[in-house]
């Protein structure tokens, strides 16, 4: 094994799980980023992946890799920054193991994040969620699974990685049903389940005779769905309903379903701190994006700013004023 192979093996078998205690979701995300980097570097240097060494992964190669998905494949700046975070973590480990490459390592670690525009989040309302959930064919096994997946995500707000990791034993269907999950940073949390959804999950696991340790939402061939597999399921059904009333121009992704869960809580009057705990946000300002997206609350705040003696709401001209402006007034 060359120096790069030894480095990567140590990073994923020791550094991340043992020294940093990284979650399986983080390890999987970093693994995907490094795999893409290696494939790109092999093409960039016209060699095989197994022939790459540490010298091939220099700052120019990393910079070209980061520009490649953003410019050629249409990925977002956020995706680019997430991959850079994985590469930085690998190179900080390399600084200890490969001091002879310290100059190249320092140059890679000096690559900055790109600033991203903060945009209003997309989300589905209850009617749109109902249309989406009804899209899969309930007469098929995959259709029933897909319906349950999308209803589950829209109600719980779990991330795609958290959803595919949910096992039968993590779902409690008693008097106060809930689901347990392990989120970012290995943080355990419980999320309440709608009783109707809990009964549907119970019927689904019974139908499939799923053991307690099996995933609630298995792949068609058995075992866990991948995050990419879940993403394709949601996007495919979103495309299927794209032309239906109320769905034109509405983006549908797993994260949009997470936003739907958050906005439903917000519209129900749940405070932002509680929503943050439900979603597993470490920082409250992450949850504040939903306040910015809530036009109904903005209107309520606007209504409360009306001067004393003036009825709240938007100004509407009287018929007399409209007639005057149209030139039909008596003045």
């Amino acid at each position: 094994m060359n120096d790069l192979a030894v480095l990567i093996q140590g990073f994923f078998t020791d550094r991340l799980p043992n020294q940093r205690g990284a979650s399986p979701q983080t390890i999987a995300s970093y693994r995907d980023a490094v795999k893409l980097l290696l494939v790109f570097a092999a093409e960039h240097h016209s060699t095989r992946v197994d022939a790459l060494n540490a010298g091939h992964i220099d700052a120019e190669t990393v910079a070209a890799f980061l520009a490649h998905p953003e410019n050629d494949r249409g990925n977002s700046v956020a995706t680019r920054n997430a991959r850079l975070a994985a590469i930085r973590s690998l190179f900080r480990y390399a600084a200890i193991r490969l001091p002879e490459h310290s100059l190249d390592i320092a140059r890679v670690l000096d690559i900055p994040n790109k600033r991203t525009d903060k945009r209003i989040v997309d989300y589905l309302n209850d009617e749109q969620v109902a249309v989406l959930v009804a899209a899969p064919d309930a007469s098929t096994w995959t259709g029933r699974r897909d319906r349950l997946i999308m209803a589950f995500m829209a109600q719980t707000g779990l991330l795609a990685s958290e959803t595919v990791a949910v096992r039968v034993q993590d779902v409690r269907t008693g008097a106060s049903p809930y689901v347990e999950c392990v989120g970012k940073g290995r943080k355990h949390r419980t999320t309440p389940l709608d009783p109707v959804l809990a009964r549907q999950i119970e019927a689904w696991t019974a139908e499939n005779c799923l053991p307690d340790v099996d995933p609630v939402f298995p792949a068609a061939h058995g075992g866990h769905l991948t995050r990419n597999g879940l993403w394709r399921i949601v996007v495919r059904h979103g495309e299927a309903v794209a032309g239906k009333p109320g769905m034109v121009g509405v983006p549908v992704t797993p994260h949009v379903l997470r936003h739907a869960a958050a906005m439903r809580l917000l519209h129900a009057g749940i405070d932002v701190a509680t929503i943050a705990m439900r979603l597993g946000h470490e920082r409250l300002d992450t949850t504040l994006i939903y306040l910015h997206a809530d036009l109904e609350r903005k209107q309520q705040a606007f209504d409360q700013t009306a001067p004393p003696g003036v009825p709240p709401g938007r100004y509407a001209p009287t018929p007399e004023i409209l007639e005057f402006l149209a030139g039909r007034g008596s003045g």
Side-chain angles (χ1 to χ4, degrees), residues 213-263:
V213 295
D214 274 19
V216 173
F217 309 114
H221 53 74
H224 285 271
L225 271 173
T226 64
R227 290 176 301 154
N228 288 338
L230 178 63
W231 186 278
R232 288 192 294 269
I233 287 170
V234 175
V235 171
R236 182 175 72 248
H237 293 304
E239 292 172 347
V241 299
K244 293 192 174 183
M247 300 297 293
V248 177
V250 177
V252 178
T253 67
H255 227 63
V256 168
L257 292 178
R258 177 171 166 86
H259 296 331
M263 294 301 290

Side-chain angles (χ1 to χ4, degrees), residues 122-126 128-133 146-160 163 230-231 233-235 237-238 247 250-264 279 290:
D122 296 309
Y123 67 96
L124 303 180
N125 60 33
D126 290 347
Q128 291 168 331
V129 168
V131 171
L132 179 65
V133 170
D146 294 356
R147 285 190 174 203
L148 197 58
I149 285 174
M150 294 188 293
F152 177 86
M153 296 188 73
Q155 195 261 298
T156 62
L158 265 64
L159 292 163
T163 299
L230 178 63
W231 186 278
I233 287 170
V234 175
V235 171
H237 293 304
M247 300 297 293
V250 177
V252 178
T253 67
H255 227 63
V256 168
L257 292 178
R258 177 171 166 86
H259 296 331
M263 294 301 290
R264 182 183 298 109
L279 298 180
Y290 300 110

Side-chain angles (χ1 to χ4, degrees), residues 54 91 94-110:
F91 272 72
I96 303 171
R97 300 285 177 172
L98 302 173
E100 65 273 21
H101 293 281
S102 58
L103 180 59
D104 279 337
I105 291 170
R107 293 180 64 200
V108 170
L109 293 176
D110 198 43

Side-chain angles (χ1 to χ4, degrees), residues 190 192 265 269-281 284 287:
T190 59
L265 294 172
I270 306 300
D271 63 274
V272 175
T274 301
I275 296 174
M277 288 190 292
R278 282 281 297 267
L279 298 180
H281 288 163
L284 193 59
T287 317

Side-chain angles (χ1 to χ4, degrees), residues 42-194:
E43 295 176 356
H44 188 70
H45 292 286
S46 301
T47 187
R48 304 187 317 274
V49 171
D50 59 352
L52 291 171
N53 57 54
H56 287 113
I57 316 296
D58 54 14
E60 287 76 12
T61 302
V62 172
F65 165 71
L66 294 172
H68 170 69
E70 183 182 347
N71 296 331
D72 298 342
R73 295 170 55 186
N75 291 120
S76 67
V77 173
T79 299
R80 180 256 190 203
N81 289 343
R83 289 174 180 168
L84 178 56
I87 294 168
R88 281 176 178 160
S89 183
L90 173 63
F91 272 72
R92 282 192 289 269
Y93 179 65
I96 303 171
R97 300 285 177 172
L98 302 173
E100 65 273 21
H101 293 281
S102 58
L103 180 59
D104 279 337
I105 291 170
R107 293 180 64 200
V108 170
L109 293 176
D110 198 43
I111 296 174
N113 282 332
K114 276 197 172 183
R115 298 188 65 176
T116 58
D117 294 330
K118 294 184 178 180
R119 60 188 297 264
I120 296 177
V121 297
D122 296 309
Y123 67 96
L124 303 180
N125 60 33
D126 290 347
E127 292 76 16
Q128 291 168 331
V129 168
V131 171
L132 179 65
V133 170
D137 182 0
S139 67
T140 66
W141 183 89
T142 55
R144 292 191 296 277
R145 180 202 62 185
D146 294 356
R147 285 190 174 203
L148 197 58
I149 285 174
M150 294 188 293
F152 177 86
M153 296 188 73
Q155 195 261 298
T156 62
L158 265 64
L159 292 163
S161 58
E162 295 169 344
T163 299
V164 297
V166 170
R167 300 164 298 175
V168 174
Q169 65 189 19
D170 298 328
V171 179
R172 309 301 171 89
T173 57
S176 300
Y178 63 91
V179 59
E180 295 180 337
C181 75
V182 181
K184 293 182 179 180
R186 292 186 176 272
K187 291 187 176 180
H188 292 253
R189 73 178 191 276
T190 59
T191 302
L193 280 178
D194 177 81

Side-chain angles (χ1 to χ4, degrees), residues 309-320:
V310 176
R314 292 185 179 275
Y315 170 75
T318 64
E320 292 79 7

